[in-house]
Every structure is written in structure tokens, then in C-alpha cells.
Amino acid sequence: MDRADLDFAHLPFAYHKTDANVRVFFREGAWSAPEVTSEEYLTLHMASVCFHYGQAIFEGLKAYERPDGRVQTFRARENARRMRHSAEKLLMEPVPEEVFLDAVQRVVQANRRFVPPHASGASLYIRPFEIGVSAEVGVKPSIDYLFMVFATPVGPYYKAGFTPVRLLVQEEIDRAAPGGVGDTKAAGNYAASLRATVAAKKQGYSEVLYLDAREKRYIDESGSSNFFAVRDRTFITPASPSILRSITNASVRRLALDMGLSVEERPVAVEELASFEEAGALGTAAIITPVEAITYGEQEFVYAKDGQAGPITTALYERLTAIQTGEAEDPYGWCEVVPD
Ligand code: PLP
Ligand code: COI
């Protein structure tokens, strides 16, 4: 393999053109055979439902080069299942799991030279998405759909990698409401979070921490990741109807139990911020990002001093990334080797 000529150790989390993407169409009631193409652009009808009424959902997962040079994806089937959940909630045609997994495999194979080298700290980020493409002006579900997968090599989501970031609790702007679609990867959820995120970044924070929209009493999540905290050897993470069910979070909860920690998935009152010893963000892009401090109104709570992540956050990060990169055994069968 002739690896792409990139500075893999210093990649940003950004789009970089790769060799191929995969397209599958749902037309006349059936999914087409997958098309592998190098074309980056799409020709769509201007009245496509995705543009006007937001039938657009996506997923995010990663592929890693293992020490033996083979490539593995992490929990791709869970992404396939979650995309089905998103589709069902937005009345879109669910992509069959096997169609999803086949397209993911094809995109990795076609972009093998862009998979970052083992231990470079980078990975191949895989972005499946589905959009409603029927021309409509009435508000109704699309009949036809396009499911696509592209891939791009990425470095850390937060510039400094495994270095603590600062979060701002947002009380004025809601990302999602309990009866809404916050538990889906609907594109509109991310549009809804932009205003708060851009404002927080201007004030020097990396991300926003949203509260539940109904009472503003409980911690929900960030715009791009779940939230966790540690207290008395207990891993605590919010349960809420308006957050995305993070695959990283589910994996880390399992690893936390294996490490002898207690795990609590429950409503987390914002007052508890004062009592946490460590805090962090969880997600495919964020992996585990330690939180340095959280600002809530006039108060600032500090969880990582001198840029040092806490011991439990560090141990969980090392365990998770060792499994993802193939350094450690994979006791739960989370990783799947992509055939060459
Ligand atoms: N929450 C939101 C809003 C996200 O966009 C993501 C990213 O996918 C996550 C949480 C983390 O989910 P996962 O760990 O499955 O990537
Ligand atoms: C992911 O972690 O895969 C995400 O989708 C988060 C983000 C880049 C929006």
C-alpha cells in the first residue's frame, strides 16, 4: 500500500478529500446496489425534502490501523442501529443494517491509504448519512432517499488532544427538548447548537454543556458529546430523553465496571457540579476528553489542575483507546477487522 502523503500526527479534525465515497439510493421502494465513486459532489433536486424540512441524519465512527497492519472499525453495528432509530423518529426509510455495514466496509477498503498509521494518534473518521431526496413543497416525508458514506483522516476533535478543555453551562439556549429528537443524530440538532457553541467559543470555552430544557435543573450533554463525572470511585453520566445515546459512553461504562468503579446513569442535578472530582466528554470524535473546568453562572468548578487529567479519566482513556487501536485484546468483540 502506498500511504497518502499526509502529516498524520498533526491532522486537524477536518474534511480532507479521500479517494472514494459510497452511495446507495432508495427508489421505487428498494435499495440500489452500492456505487463507489470518487465524485465529491451531488446533484439533487432543489425541492428535496432534506433541504427544506430537515430529513437529514448522520452517524460517525472510526477505523484504526492495528499493530499488525490490518484495519478495524469500532462498534459499527451500534451506529447502524442508532441510524435506524434516527430514521424511524424522522419518518425516513431505515437503512438496513447490512447495507450500512457493507457501505462502511467498502469506504474503508477504497480509502485504505488514508487510514492513519498505527499509534499516530489519528484515525479514519467515517461519516454515514441519509437524506430525503424527493421533490416536495408540502411538509411530508420523502419517498426516495440517498444513503452515503464518506471517510476522512482526522486528528483530535479538540485541538490539544487528551488535554483538559473548558465548558460553559448554557441556560438560555436549548439544543433539544424531552419530546423532541435530541436522542437522534438529526442534522437539525447540530444547527440548533451552533448559536450557543459559537458564542461559548468566543468566550474561550471549547464547548457548551446543555441543561434539560424543561426544568434547567439537570445536566444533558454537549453539542458533540456526552458528559460524565467521577466522584468517590463512581462513574456518573446523565440519563435524559433529550441526549444522544453515545456508543463511546456505553463502552466506557462497561470498562469502568471492569476497573471496579460503580456506574450511575441517572438524572444529574447541576448542583452536583460542586462535588465532582473529575469530569469529561465522551464521543467518537471527542473519544474521552478531560474537562478542566465548568463555568455555571458566576461559579467555576475546576476538575483538572495544571492541564493534568484525573487518574480515572486517564485510565479509562488508555483502556478504551488500547482496545480501539488493537493494542489490547478486545474482550467484548467491539472491533471488526475490515478485509483487505
Ligand atoms: N452526543 C452528541 C450530540 C453527539 O453528536 C455525539 C457524537 O456522535 C455523541 C454524543 C457521542 O456519541 P458516540 O459516542 O456514539 O459517538
Ligand atoms: C461524532 O463524534 O462522531 C460526532 O458526530 C460528533 C461531531 C463531530 C458532530
Side-chain angles (χ1 to χ4, degrees):
M1 180 213 15
D2 212 0
R3 207 184 299 267
D5 184 20
L6 285 171
D7 183 5
F8 284 105
H10 299 102
L11 285 178
F13 190 91
Y15 178 75
H16 187 283
K17 181 175 170 17
T18 52
D19 287 336
N21 59 78
V22 180
R23 301 165 184 211
V24 192
F25 292 90
F26 185 82
R27 286 194 201 106
E28 294 177 11
W31 289 100
S32 70
E35 286 169 30
V36 180
T37 171
S38 60
E39 176 56 57
E40 289 174 284
Y41 289 86
L42 294 169
T43 302
L44 294 175
H45 195 284
M46 61 188 172
S48 291
V49 175
C50 60
F51 296 136
H52 306 271
Y53 306 129
Q55 274 191 314
I57 55 178
F58 72 100
E59 273 301 328
L61 67 152
K62 283 177 173 172
Y64 302 83
E65 188 177 274
R66 296 154 34 116
D68 65 6
R70 292 191 290 168
V71 177
Q72 65 184 20
T73 51
F74 183 72
R75 306 199 77 174
R77 191 172 286 277
E78 294 303 316
N79 293 93
R81 290 191 178 133
R82 189 169 62 191
M83 186 135 141
R84 165 177 284 273
H85 170 73
S86 297
E88 284 168 352
K89 262 192 116 164
L90 271 70
L91 290 190
M92 298 171 67
E93 181 64 30
V95 176
E97 273 175 37
E98 299 314 318
V99 170
F100 183 103
L101 294 171
D102 173 72
V104 165
Q105 185 169 309
R106 284 173 197 269
V107 91
V108 174
Q109 287 167 335
N111 294 299
R112 176 64 186 89
R113 69 191 188 96
F114 288 96
V115 179
H118 180 73
S120 61
S123 56
L124 187 73
Y125 184 71
I126 301 164
R127 174 52 66 83
F129 67 100
E130 185 186 4
I131 51 178
V133 296
S134 297
E136 288 288 356
V137 279
V139 181
K140 57 174 90 128
S142 183
I143 296 165
D144 295 338
Y145 291 88
L146 168 58
F147 168 59
M148 282 190 65
V149 186
F150 69 80
T152 191
V154 296
Y157 188 63
Y158 296 110
K159 255 186 262 135
F162 189 69
T163 302
V165 299
R166 283 153 44 83
L167 304 183
L168 175 65
V169 174
Q170 173 56 252
E171 292 179 275
E172 305 302 320
I173 300 175
D174 298 321
R175 170 189 169 274
V181 294
D183 63 332
T184 72
K185 273 183 93 71
N189 288 337
Y190 297 82
S193 73
L194 286 175
R195 198 161 46 111
T197 311
V198 169
K201 284 191 174 157
K202 273 197 193 134
Q203 294 175 63
Y205 298 93
S206 294
E207 253 289 9
V208 164
L209 191 56
Y210 294 96
L211 300 184
D212 78 283
R214 187 179 280 142
E215 292 187 76
K216 304 282 163 116
R217 243 194 94 192
Y218 298 100
I219 297 171
D220 257 0
E221 64 170 341
S222 287
S224 54
S225 50
N226 273 186
F227 175 78
F228 77 94
V230 177
R231 180 177 62 214
D232 297 335
R233 290 194 57 77
T234 303
F235 178 94
I236 302 164
T237 193
S240 161
S242 46
I243 67 175
L244 193 72
R245 294 188 70 83
S246 157
I247 296 160
T248 312
N249 192 346
S251 311
V252 170
R253 291 200 302 274
R254 178 66 258 168
L255 300 177
L257 288 171
D258 292 350
M259 284 165 52
L261 304 180
S262 304
V263 169
E264 293 178 4
E265 189 185 11
R266 56 162 174 86
V268 178
V270 69
E271 291 79 41
E272 291 187 59
L273 285 176
S275 66
F276 295 143
E277 294 150 13
E278 298 180 35
L282 296 158
T284 297
I287 316 177
I288 297 178
T289 299
V291 169
E292 178 185 334
I294 300 178
T295 300
Y296 173 45
E298 298 298 303
Q299 295 168 286
E300 189 188 58
F301 303 103
V302 177
Y303 305 107
K305 295 200 185 74
D306 310 321
Q308 276 303 112
I312 290 177
T313 305
T314 305
L316 288 169
Y317 175 84
E318 283 172 359
R319 182 82 184 106
L320 175 69
T321 53
I323 294 174
Q324 289 174 328
T325 59
E327 286 286 341
E329 255 210 78
D330 171 23
Y332 299 108
W334 287 339
C335 301
E336 196 165 344
V337 171
V338 177
D340 291 335

